Amino acid sequence: MEQFVTLFNKLFLPQGLTLHMSMERHIRNYVLWILCVDDETHNVLLKLSLPNVKLLKLSSLETKELISVKSQRTIAEYCWTLAPFAPRFVFEADESVNRVTYIDSDLWFLKSPIPIFNELEISKKKVLITDHAYSPEYDQSSEFGQFCVQFITFSRLNGEVVRKWWEERCIEWCFSYLDNGRFGDQKYLSDWPERFGSLVHILQDKETTLAPWNANRFPYANAIFYHFHDLRILSKKKLHIGAYSLPMVLKKYVYRPYSKDLKCAINMLESIQFRWLVQAVKPNILRRIYYKLRRLYRVVGLLIPSHYMKW
């Protein structure tokens, strides 16, 4: 049985529920541990009683080290700081868990991840990381690192040395700006293949991990999961889908189905009288005029990135 862990607060409950829907659809025999960043998220998920989910309440698990840095960081930076702690909390909660995979809450599975775990097992290594695999026009490796904190597997045996090192670094420094080769929790992964070479496996099948930054490079049909980086809910009728130029086929066959799952998630929240939150402000009047004009010129629309979409 594969064990996964993710984390989010009440603002990202729709994405968290949508992630779970995709796992129910494509993964058999799994557990999704959810580290609830605030108590309201924990209470909501208790009411929903989702199958194959186990809850972790951050307020009951925060270490002295976490509490000492919490006030110095934004909520986003604090969530990044929590990433290496999430697998630790799972290992501590259940001694029978031998392997756990951290996943971002804005991931959405299109297929079973079994091939990813098969590749890790063949490598006989203890930690798995994934490459951003940027499209050339979006390559930001120098700023944000070659590897992405989106899907990281840790084995309890021997993988802990890597996770603990990452945990210590994130306590020391984890901020949303570039500083001496560091950025958030992510650039710490950059030297893992050299620092922990005998323990760390880099996923070789890059086509299976899609995101806006490589969606023009690989066909969506080969993806195991899609990372909806920067997607935000503006209203019940409109989404901000980010600043990347995306293929129309991807919008039709990935973004549209994802938006339907998001709507289902919102309906679930409304069914228990939870007031879900808008995740970004609506575009100003000039932007609204711009996008109306874009719709009038379909040819131009194919050349200019589409930042918004109706559900």
Side-chain angles (χ1 to χ4, degrees):
M1 177 181 291
E2 290 297 337
Q3 309 278 332
F4 299 85
V5 64
T6 191
L7 63 93
F8 50 87
N9 63 4
K10 62 183 179 182
L11 182 64
F12 287 95
L13 268 163
Q15 280 89 340
L17 294 177
T18 301
L19 165 66
H20 175 258
M21 289 178 198
S22 73
M23 297 177 80
E24 283 290 287
R25 197 175 290 135
H26 297 292
I27 307 177
R28 294 181 180 179
N29 203 23
Y30 78 97
V31 173
L32 175 62
W33 298 77
I34 300 177
L35 178 59
C36 304
V37 176
D38 52 53
D39 288 354
E40 191 168 0
T41 297
H42 186 265
N43 295 338
V44 167
L45 293 174
L46 273 179
K47 288 182 181 179
L48 291 174
S49 189
L50 302 172
N52 299 311
V53 165
K54 293 185 179 181
L55 302 180
L56 298 166
K57 194 175 183 180
L58 179 61
S59 61
S60 301
L61 297 170
E62 277 175 305
T63 65
K64 292 180 180 178
E65 294 86 355
L66 284 170
I67 293 171
S68 70
V69 302
K70 187 174 184 178
S71 63
Q72 305 162 21
R73 301 178 184 182
T74 66
I75 183 60
E77 291 167 343
Y78 190 58
C79 286
W80 293 347
T81 305
L82 290 170
F85 283 86
R88 166 183 167 177
F89 293 151
V90 174
F91 286 138
E92 291 175 348
D94 188 342
E95 293 182 356
S96 71
V97 174
N98 295 316
R99 180 168 76 186
V100 61
T101 299
Y102 168 83
I103 51 177
D104 279 346
S105 62
D106 54 356
L107 258 58
W108 191 64
F109 287 92
L110 292 90
K111 297 177 184 176
S112 167
I114 286 176
I116 295 176
F117 296 117
N118 288 344
E119 185 179 313
L120 174 61
E121 288 166 6
I122 291 170
S123 77
K124 297 183 179 179
K125 296 188 177 182
K126 304 301 180 181
V127 176
L128 178 138
I129 56 177
T130 60
D131 200 310
H132 274 106
Y134 290 110
S135 295
E137 66 271 27
Y138 294 128
D139 192 347
Q140 302 172 81
S141 302
S142 60
E143 294 91 349
F144 304 122
Q146 178 183 348
F147 307 110
C148 184
V149 178
Q150 59 181 355
F151 187 107
I152 307 181
T153 302
F154 294 97
S155 298
R156 184 191 290 269
L157 181 63
N158 296 327
E160 274 290 88
V161 64
V162 181
R163 190 204 59 75
K164 286 180 179 178
W165 181 89
W166 188 30
E167 175 185 304
E168 291 167 0
R169 300 293 80 73
C170 287
I171 286 292
E172 290 173 359
W173 192 96
C174 188
F175 296 94
S176 60
Y177 56 84
L178 295 169
D179 175 80
N180 195 27
R182 300 179 294 188
F183 180 82
D185 57 343
Q186 189 157 271
K187 285 208 77 176
Y188 291 124
L189 279 59
S190 295
D191 73 345
W192 283 12
E194 292 75 37
R195 184 183 295 274
F196 305 108
S198 63
L199 298 175
V200 176
H201 176 69
I202 304 166
L203 184 69
Q204 296 302 295
D205 196 352
K206 296 179 176 62
E207 294 189 13
T208 60
T209 62
L210 254 61
W213 52 77
N214 63 19
N216 288 318
R217 182 180 177 188
F218 303 120
Y220 80 89
N222 293 342
I224 286 176
F225 66 74
Y226 191 89
H227 187 168
F228 285 87
H229 169 73
D230 206 29
L231 183 145
R232 296 293 183 267
I233 298 171
L234 299 178
S235 70
K236 207 169 180 181
K237 293 184 177 181
K238 205 166 199 178
L239 298 173
H240 177 277
I241 60 174
Y244 294 87
S245 179
L246 302 171
M248 294 301 295
V249 67
L250 184 79
K251 294 178 186 177
K252 181 177 180 179
Y253 292 109
V254 177
Y255 276 78
R256 288 293 178 191
Y258 182 75
S259 71
K260 289 180 180 179
D261 275 1
L262 274 178
K263 277 190 175 180
C264 289
I266 286 176
N267 289 338
M268 288 171 63
L269 294 171
E270 290 179 341
S271 73
I272 59 168
Q273 288 74 54
F274 176 77
R275 295 184 64 184
W276 57 277
L277 303 171
V278 171
Q279 296 170 344
V281 297
K282 293 182 180 180
N284 61 31
I285 185 64
L286 291 177
R287 280 186 175 272
R288 290 201 295 271
I289 293 172
Y290 168 74
Y291 289 111
K292 285 180 180 179
L293 288 173
R294 263 201 345 100
R295 286 195 291 272
L296 294 176
Y297 296 94
R298 294 184 180 181
V299 175
V300 176
L302 294 175
L303 303 176
I304 301 175
S306 177
H307 306 303
Y308 301 93
M309 66 179 278
K310 290 185 178 180
W311 291 50

